[in-house]
Structures are given as structure tokens and as C-alpha cells.
Amino acid sequence: MDCKKASILMMMFLDNTISESDKLRLQNHLEECNYCKQEFSLLLESINIIESIEEIEPPSKIKDTVMSRIDTNKYKEKSKTRLWILWITVIFSMTTGALAYLVFNNAVIVKEILIPLLIKFVNFVTLTLPVLLVKIEENFFVLMGVGMVIISMLLSSIIILVALQYYVTEKLEIKFRGGFKF
Amino acid sequence: MNESDKEIVDKCLEGNGHLYEILVTRYQKKIYNIAYRFTGSKEDALDITQEVFIKAYNSLRKYDPNYKFSSWILKITTNYCLDIKKKKRVETVELNLDLQNNDTTVSAENSYIYKENQKAIYDAINALPEKYRIIIILYHNQNQSYNEISKVLNLPLTKVKNRLYRARLMLKEELEGIRREESEWIVKKLQY
Ligand SMILES: [Zn+2]
């Protein structure tokens, strides 16, 4: 047996996969070959030292640091959000479904109520719009005042809604997946 | 109390994140030791261990329950180790030997030899290129099988085997070199 083959057998020995007969052949080679003998003893020694390196105890603060740096509610929120999305989808699809059912099964409603209503609306707009425009011109400043009041009411209600949203997401820890974060 | 890793992962994913503590307790020693052997620094090992657990928690949904949790977290650890090594390749590894941990009953001479051997092997491990170092640590220090390592490192079995063989030879050569230096040093000392 040559040294190359012996080297492979040494590796198999370290892997614990060497057969008894190969072990014997290796042994025989080592007795003849000083180079391999030296090689094998150094190999064994290094592996023995690595394997006997004792484990050290990790610092006790690892657990606390990790637990303080993760969000233990991370997945709770996710499942809550999923529930929300599920509910919204269910309600939305049921409503649309019900509406579609009503419309298609009661063509009467469309024909006798919705269409006349639409006609009345168009009539109202075309007939009264010119008169209305004159009136608007006459009372421009009053209307502008009213408009500003309405706009400011809208703005303040938006602000209130945003604040409410903030309160809900931050304080009550409910998050909506993507978006909605102020 | 003795819930399996998978049960705990499931519970964490159901919103009981505080139970993750159990998994940290179970695997912190293993990960810390691998990171320590790999970096040679307790400070780095501490950082790596913490980051690995945080990373694992935040990607818990990606955990495939068909695999062992220990393999999965080991995979994250080895990736992380190899990654940070790439980033700070130039820095030399400073070695911290914790001699206080050694058995105090051994004689001074024995403890000196033990210390020297340990230091030699530490130096030798740290001198190995990363991809060889990680395999030798996993196989010979952490008792991971070839299959496990191949899974964890995403390498074919033959490659794992080849690298381990080469790593052993490199380690042997390192040790040989260190021994030669030592004997030269002793010879020099004797000459004076
Ligand atoms: Zn030979």
C-alpha cells in the first residue's frame, strides 16, 4: 500500500468508517513508513485536542437581551390583522352578493324606482341649475362662508380620525398590515 | 414543560412570543460555543448569539417544520458567522483563553502543557480559512454528522467530506508548524 492510500484510510479512521481489514492494512503501513506514522500521530493529536475543547458557559444576559429585543406580540398582531382582513372580506362579499341578488332578482326595483329617481334627479339638475347659479352669484359671500365652515369641519374630523387611528394602532397595539401607519 | 421545539415554534407563531425564551435557553450554549470557536472572541460570540436568536425569531414563519429546529438555527448561525467574517476579514483574531475554567487540581506543569496545547490548537483553528474552519468545528467539536453539515451549509456531501479532509490536513500542518517553532525556540533557549 502506498502513502496516498494510507492517507485516505487515516481519514476513514477519523470518520469512524474504516473496516477492520483496512485498519489492519493501515497499521501495517504505519509500522513501515515513518512519514505516515508522524503524520497520523499529529492528525490524531489535533483531532483529540479539538474534540476535548470544553464548552464554555454563555453569559447569562443572552436570554434577557434577546427577549427584550424581540417583539413577543409580533405574531399575535399578525393573526389579529388576518382576522380583521377575513371579517372585512366576508362582510364585503356578503353585502355585494346580497345587493347583486336584489338587483338581478327584482328588476322591478330598477325599473320602477331607480330609473324614475334618476330621471327626476337629471330633471332637477337641468331645470334648476341655471336658477341656482344666479342665486349663488347673488349670495356668493354667504355661501363661501358656509363652504369654509364645511371644509374646516371636514378637516377637523380627518384630524380626529387620524388621532384615533394613531391611538388604536399604538396604544391598543393593533396594526394593519402595510399602510395606515402615521 | 418538556414541549418539543416544534410545539414551541407553533405557539410562538400563535402569538405566545414569550415562550421563545425556552428555545433560547435550549440552544444558546451550542450557538455561543460555535460562534466562540469560530471567531475566537467572546465579545463577537455574544453578539452573534444574540443576533442569531433575534433573526430566527423574526423569520420564524420561514421555519420549515419538516426539519429539526436545531438544524435551522445552526444554519442561521453558520451563515451569520461566515457573513460577518467576510465583512471584517482584515482584522486579526485575538485569542482569549479562559484559563480560569480549567481544572484547578491539575499540577502546574500539566496545566502548562494543557494550556500550550490548547493555545496551539486554537491558533491552528483560527488560521484555517473560514469554510474549512466551520466544518471542522461542526464535525469535531459539535458532533454534527456529515448529513447534518451538508444540510446546514447547503453543500453536497462529497464537498463536505473533501473540505473536512483538507481541514484536518491543514490543521495538522499548522500544529506541525507550531511544534517546529516551539522546538526551535527551545533550542535557541538552550544555546544561551
Ligand atoms: Zn506512508
Side-chain angles (χ1 to χ4, degrees):
Chain A
M1 185 170 60
D2 61 1
C3 296
K4 209 170 172 185
K5 173 82 184 155
S7 164
I8 293 168
L9 291 184
M10 286 180 210
M11 290 301 167
M12 287 170 82
F13 180 89
L14 293 174
D15 285 347
N16 245 330
T17 54
I18 194 168
S19 67
E20 280 304 313
S21 57
D22 277 343
K23 209 189 259 181
L24 216 68
R25 286 165 66 204
L26 178 64
Q27 218 167 345
N28 288 337
H29 179 79
L30 294 182
E31 270 160 28
E32 295 161 3
C33 174
N34 247 331
Y35 174 80
C36 283
K37 197 175 174 181
Q38 166 87 357
E39 182 112 342
F40 191 54
S41 104
L42 272 165
L43 257 176
L44 275 184
E45 194 181 354
S46 13
I47 300 304
N48 274 338
I49 297 173
I50 305 179
E51 287 182 346
S52 65
I53 291 177
E54 271 177 43
E55 303 236 293
I56 55 171
E57 279 303 319
S60 52
K61 64 179 169 189
I62 288 178
K63 195 172 73 186
D64 292 337
T65 312
V66 170
M67 294 314 286
S68 71
R69 281 181 56 195
I70 63 173
D71 175 8
T72 49
N73 286 321
K74 184 182 164 84
Y75 297 106
K76 196 185 278 173
E77 287 158 12
K78 282 273 166 62
S79 43
K80 251 186 205 163
T81 316
R82 284 186 176 193
L83 215 66
W84 266 103
I85 290 168
L86 187 75
W87 271 111
I88 289 168
T89 319
V90 165
I91 291 170
F92 182 76
S93 52
M94 277 175 75
T95 323
T96 3
L99 271 175
Y101 178 82
L102 275 175
V103 168
F104 284 103
N105 280 280
N106 297 285
V108 186
I109 293 176
V110 182
K111 210 163 144 193
E112 301 197 341
I113 301 174
L114 288 181
I115 293 179
L117 258 175
L118 200 71
I119 292 169
K120 268 184 192 163
F121 178 72
V122 172
N123 277 343
F124 170 79
V125 171
T126 46
L127 291 177
T128 37
L129 208 60
V131 185
L132 210 69
L133 281 173
V134 175
K135 287 233 162 130
I136 288 173
E137 209 177 6
E138 280 169 359
N139 301 296
F140 184 72
F141 289 103
V142 179
L143 279 171
M144 203 174 76
V146 172
M148 279 172 80
V149 169
I150 292 172
I151 287 169
S152 61
M153 274 169 72
L154 270 173
L155 275 174
S156 56
S157 57
I158 287 171
I159 291 167
I160 290 169
L161 274 174
V162 167
L164 206 71
Q165 163 78 42
Y166 177 80
Y167 177 79
V168 168
T169 52
E170 293 301 311
K171 303 287 178 210
L172 304 182
E173 295 195 326
I174 297 170
K175 282 193 188 117
F176 295 90
R177 195 197 280 260
F180 284 135
K181 231 194 154 193
F182 296 96
Chain B
M1 211 43 222
N2 265 321
E3 286 159 299
S4 75
D5 295 345
K6 279 164 203 168
E7 283 167 341
I8 294 168
V9 171
D10 281 344
K11 284 184 181 167
C12 286
L13 287 175
E14 281 160 15
N16 302 303
H18 63 278
L19 292 176
Y20 191 63
E21 198 179 292
I22 303 172
L23 294 174
V24 178
T25 312
R26 267 180 207 171
Y27 294 106
Q28 58 177 351
K29 191 170 179 181
K30 189 183 189 72
I31 291 169
Y32 180 74
N33 273 280
I34 292 174
Y36 179 49
R37 295 303 155 223
F38 192 79
T39 58
S41 146
K42 283 186 178 171
E43 210 178 300
D44 286 348
L46 177 64
D47 279 351
I48 291 171
T49 312
Q50 283 166 181
E51 291 305 323
V52 162
F53 276 117
I54 292 164
K55 214 171 178 173
Y57 180 80
N58 288 332
S59 45
L60 215 50
R61 279 202 195 284
K62 287 187 203 148
Y63 166 63
D64 178 354
N66 290 320
Y67 295 96
K68 279 194 283 179
F69 181 78
S70 57
S71 311
W72 187 64
I73 197 123
L74 200 62
K75 188 174 196 141
I76 298 176
T77 311
T78 52
N79 284 343
Y80 199 85
C81 283
L82 295 168
D83 254 17
I84 64 154
K85 266 294 170 185
K86 251 178 243 158
K87 278 176 205 148
K88 41 192 257 180
R89 193 182 290 277
V90 218
E91 287 171 40
T92 48
V93 181
E94 200 49 58
L95 213 60
N96 296 307
L97 290 177
D98 38 292
L99 302 167
Q100 312 93 290
N101 281 2
N102 295 341
D103 195 352
T104 45
T105 55
V106 289
S107 73
E109 194 188 350
N110 273 344
S111 115
Y112 177 77
I113 291 166
Y114 178 75
K115 190 183 97 182
E116 282 304 294
N117 277 338
Q118 202 184 33
K119 178 159 170 31
I121 214 70
Y122 269 50
D123 287 346
I125 293 173
N126 283 329
L128 289 176
E130 287 94 46
K131 57 180 184 177
Y132 297 104
R133 191 187 319 158
I134 195 81
I135 291 182
I136 208 147
I137 292 168
L138 291 178
Y139 189 86
H140 283 301
N141 193 241
Q142 295 293 322
N143 293 319
Q144 301 290 325
S145 68
Y146 278 134
N147 273 321
E148 190 80 3
I149 296 172
S150 136
K151 236 188 280 163
V152 164
L153 295 178
N154 237 341
L155 286 173
L157 218 69
T158 46
K159 208 159 197 170
V160 173
K161 229 173 197 178
N162 278 333
R163 283 195 189 168
L164 182 69
Y165 286 8
R166 284 202 58 189
R168 283 169 180 164
L169 291 174
M170 282 190 245
L171 205 60
K172 184 219 74 185
E173 269 155 33
E174 287 290 335
L175 191 68
E176 209 171 0
I178 289 162
R179 285 287 147 81
R180 204 181 302 126
E181 270 170 35
E182 272 173 10
S183 56
E184 277 165 12
W185 182 79
I186 291 168
V187 169
K188 249 188 209 161
K189 271 269 166 190
L190 289 174
Q191 283 169 347
Y192 285 108

